[in-house]
Amino acid sequence: MTIKRRLFISNILMIVIPVLISLLIIFVGGEIIFRASQDGVQKDDQFYDSRDDLIHKAKQFLENGTQQEQAKTKTALEQVLQKNELSLNIYSSEKNIFSFGTLNIRYTEELTGAIWALKGEGSASLNNEEVYAEKMNVNGKTYTVIIFNIISDFNYEDFPPEIIMFVILFFLGIIVAIILTNRFLTRFVFKRIKLPLDTLVDGVHQLRDGNLDVRIHYENKDEFASICEDFNDMAVRLKESLQLIQKQDENRKELLAGISHDLRSPLTSVRAYSEGLLDGVAQTPESQQNYIRMIKTKAEDIDRMVAKISLFSKMDLGDYPYDPEPLEVNQEILSLVKATAEEYRENGLEVNITALAENVLIFADPVQLNSVFSNILENSLKYKNKEHGHVNIRTEAKGNEVFIYLSDDGPGVPVEALEKLFDVFYRSDPSRNNPNKGSGLGLAITAKAVDRMGGSIHAELSSADGLCMVIKLPVLSKGAIA
């Protein structure tokens, strides 16, 4: 259940529960008040139902001659009056001769005066007291029987203390219910927030302490699920970034070590030949010219190496000129081979085109594209282990990409070294005893250039036991160039 839904349910319950409790209190209180009022109504109804019986018993009382019979009738009369909370008086000639019941009537005179005004029969009421009078003839005498009653005047202020306490306790119950409901619903929502927050905090602390392998396993499908996924993704990227920084630091160290080593060799040669000239070791003009040529050659090697280092640095910083344009891959390859094949052949490297895809257009800088091909061909020339080496070039279009294969029959490299060929200053000769075969910057520059074209390059072992460089570039369009 999502936190949003839990909050919605919590808000609804915070309203519904107090309302239900309030309705319960209203119902119970209303029931109590209704019953209290019904008791008064019932009492009033009993007065009207019992007065005929009282009139009859009063007549019997007057008719009975013996004291024993009167006492018996009086007892029955008193029971009815007590049961119905009434009083009864018997008058003869407006004189009270008998009184029954203990009801305290405040307006006796006023009510009896009203009866006499009605000639001894009828009913009258004053405030909450009423009377009913009826004449009867017993043994030739006329009597007036008056029944007194207190009308039920239900007063809401006259609640018994128990009912008032009950209502107070109910209202306190509402307050307690609201507090408990609030606490329960708060826990109901807060628990679902606190648990993932604690998990996230723990994960952040572990990241802070260097544990980049920490991952959050959160199975609930709520708002925190995406946050935990983002945390895991952040941890992965952070680890990758740290590994990249470490790798770049190692590359930087290797770069400095490679530069210092590869510059030291030609500089040592320059120094040695210079000292030879100064010390007179080269005494003949021919030997002196040979020393000077060697110094010039080593200086040119240093210049090329510095140029490559500068080029790689600029490409690494994105500060190298890049002017892409639509190029037809096959045409670029044909032009390069036509211009350089004879020179490579003279140096013992045969460059052949075996198969070309039909008219594939890419978007690249022609200078850098030719530099990519030239660097690969130069590597094949430097590292060939035969008198006559061979390089075969072919292209193949696959979907929205074109693959360019340049495979040679040179010595190749171990399988574990294939991924390192494009690292800066990497050479398959770990001792770097043969600096004439290059500094290891050529393929690193090639990889940078291909990456800038939006493609990729990797090395494979060729079928001729050499190396096959596979360049993959995105296709701009297919068809003949307009």
Side-chain angles (χ1 to χ4, degrees):
M1 183 184 297
T2 63
I3 295 173
K4 181 179 179 181
R5 181 172 295 179
R6 285 178 175 271
L7 287 172
F8 176 77
I9 294 174
S10 175
N11 292 333
I12 292 297
L13 291 179
M14 280 297 295
I15 297 173
V16 170
I17 293 178
V19 168
L20 290 177
I21 294 176
S22 299
L23 290 175
L24 178 63
I25 292 174
I26 292 172
F27 174 77
V28 173
E31 184 69 17
I32 293 173
I33 295 172
F34 176 76
R35 289 186 178 181
S37 62
Q38 284 297 105
D39 290 342
V41 172
Q42 184 177 8
K43 181 177 179 297
D44 294 339
D45 292 339
Q46 290 175 351
F47 168 68
Y48 296 109
D49 293 339
S50 61
R51 65 188 184 183
D52 292 338
D53 185 36
L54 290 172
I55 295 294
H56 177 70
K57 284 183 168 50
K59 188 175 182 179
Q60 285 183 342
F61 176 79
L62 293 172
E63 289 177 343
N64 292 327
T66 64
Q67 291 182 352
Q68 184 177 2
E69 290 176 346
Q70 282 185 341
K72 184 177 179 182
T73 304
K74 180 180 179 182
T75 300
L77 186 62
E78 291 283 356
Q79 289 177 350
V80 175
L81 291 171
Q82 184 177 4
K83 178 181 178 182
N84 296 289
E85 297 182 0
L86 302 173
S87 292
L88 185 146
N89 292 343
I90 299 176
Y91 292 83
S92 175
S93 300
E94 299 184 7
K95 181 182 180 180
N96 186 6
I97 58 175
F98 296 104
S99 295
F100 304 94
T102 59
L103 192 62
N104 183 20
I105 302 298
R106 290 177 295 177
Y107 304 106
T108 303
E109 295 182 0
E110 290 83 351
L111 291 173
T112 53
I115 291 300
W116 304 137
L118 294 173
K119 299 181 179 180
E121 287 187 319
S123 60
S125 64
L126 180 63
N127 291 333
N128 65 329
E129 297 179 356
E130 65 176 345
V131 294
Y132 173 77
E134 188 175 322
K135 286 184 177 181
M136 63 178 64
N137 194 314
V138 179
N139 299 325
K141 291 183 178 182
T142 300
Y143 299 92
T144 301
V145 179
I146 300 178
I147 303 173
F148 295 88
N149 178 42
I150 295 178
I151 301 172
S152 177
D153 184 14
F154 183 72
N155 189 348
Y156 292 94
E157 297 179 356
D158 294 337
F159 273 117
E162 295 81 3
I163 296 178
I164 296 174
M165 183 60 67
F166 178 75
V167 172
I168 293 173
L169 290 176
F170 257 108
F171 277 105
L172 289 176
I174 290 178
I175 297 172
V176 172
I178 291 174
I179 294 173
L180 293 178
T181 302
N182 180 64
R183 289 184 61 85
F184 169 75
L185 295 177
T186 300
R187 289 178 59 85
F188 175 71
V189 176
F190 183 69
K191 183 179 179 182
R192 288 296 181 181
I193 299 177
K194 186 176 184 300
L195 179 62
L197 281 179
D198 290 342
T199 305
L200 283 170
V201 169
D202 180 66
V204 171
H205 287 170
Q206 292 195 48
L207 280 180
R208 179 198 62 189
D209 296 336
N211 181 13
L212 300 181
D213 294 319
V214 61
R215 298 293 181 271
I216 294 177
H217 302 286
Y218 190 72
E219 298 179 354
N220 294 332
K221 303 299 181 182
D222 55 25
E223 289 81 355
F224 282 99
S226 60
I227 298 176
C228 293
E229 291 176 2
D230 291 341
F231 176 89
N232 292 336
D233 184 58
M234 179 190 69
V236 171
R237 295 189 181 188
L238 187 61
K239 184 176 181 180
E240 292 174 351
S241 299
L242 184 61
Q243 291 174 343
L244 180 61
I245 292 172
Q246 291 174 345
K247 184 178 179 181
Q248 289 175 342
D249 188 55
E250 292 174 0
N251 290 341
R252 191 178 298 108
K253 293 177 181 177
E254 290 179 3
L255 177 63
L256 292 174
I259 291 173
S260 61
H261 186 280
D262 288 343
L263 287 177
R264 186 180 295 115
S265 297
L267 285 173
T268 301
S269 299
V270 170
R271 180 179 178 181
Y273 285 114
S274 300
E275 289 176 351
L277 289 172
L278 292 174
D279 294 341
V281 174
Q283 298 179 353
T284 65
E286 292 79 9
S287 61
Q288 289 174 356
Q289 287 293 324
N290 186 44
Y291 272 41
I292 292 172
R293 280 195 297 270
M294 292 302 297
I295 291 173
K296 181 176 181 294
T297 300
K298 296 302 179 182
E300 289 174 347
D301 289 342
I302 293 173
D303 184 64
R304 282 193 297 271
M305 188 180 303
V306 171
K308 284 188 175 182
I309 293 172
S310 176
L311 175 60
F312 179 82
S313 299
K314 288 181 178 180
M315 294 181 73
D316 197 35
L317 296 173
D319 191 30
Y320 187 75
Y322 183 69
D323 301 311
E325 59 183 68
L327 299 175
E328 211 286 314
V329 175
N330 297 337
Q331 187 62 43
E332 294 297 317
I333 294 174
L334 288 170
S335 298
L336 175 68
V337 172
K338 184 178 179 180
T340 60
E342 184 61 31
E343 182 181 352
Y344 283 122
R345 188 180 298 110
E346 290 176 358
N347 289 292
L349 183 67
E350 189 75 30
V351 180
N352 300 309
I353 299 176
T354 58
L356 295 176
E358 292 184 3
N359 300 328
V360 179
L361 200 65
I362 64 172
F363 194 65
D365 186 328
V367 175
Q368 291 199 23
L369 183 63
N370 287 334
S371 174
V372 167
F373 294 145
S374 298
N375 282 338
I376 295 174
L377 293 175
E378 288 293 332
N379 256 31
S380 297
L381 177 61
K382 290 176 184 177
Y383 289 98
K384 70 183 181 66
N385 57 354
K386 302 175 184 178
E387 185 178 355
H388 294 285
H390 297 82
V391 174
N392 294 322
I393 302 175
R394 67 185 179 92
T395 63
E396 181 180 1
K398 297 180 181 179
N400 295 324
E401 297 172 326
V402 60
F403 290 78
I404 305 171
Y405 302 90
L406 296 93
S407 57
D408 62 27
D409 56 357
V413 296
V415 176
E416 60 272 14
L418 290 174
E419 295 182 357
K420 301 178 180 178
L421 289 177
F422 303 96
D423 292 347
V424 62
F425 273 95
Y426 175 80
R427 287 211 306 250
S428 58
D429 173 21
S431 62
R432 309 179 74 89
N433 290 325
N434 192 0
N436 293 327
K437 287 191 174 181
S439 61
L441 276 169
L443 289 181
I445 293 173
T446 298
K448 288 284 185 184
V450 173
D451 181 68
R452 200 165 186 182
M453 297 175 194
S456 63
I457 183 172
H458 69 275
E460 301 175 353
L461 296 179
S462 71
S463 57
D465 297 330
L467 277 178
C468 178
M469 297 295 175
V470 183
I471 302 171
K472 181 173 64 174
L473 295 172
V475 173
L476 181 61
S477 65
K478 292 184 179 181
I481 300 176

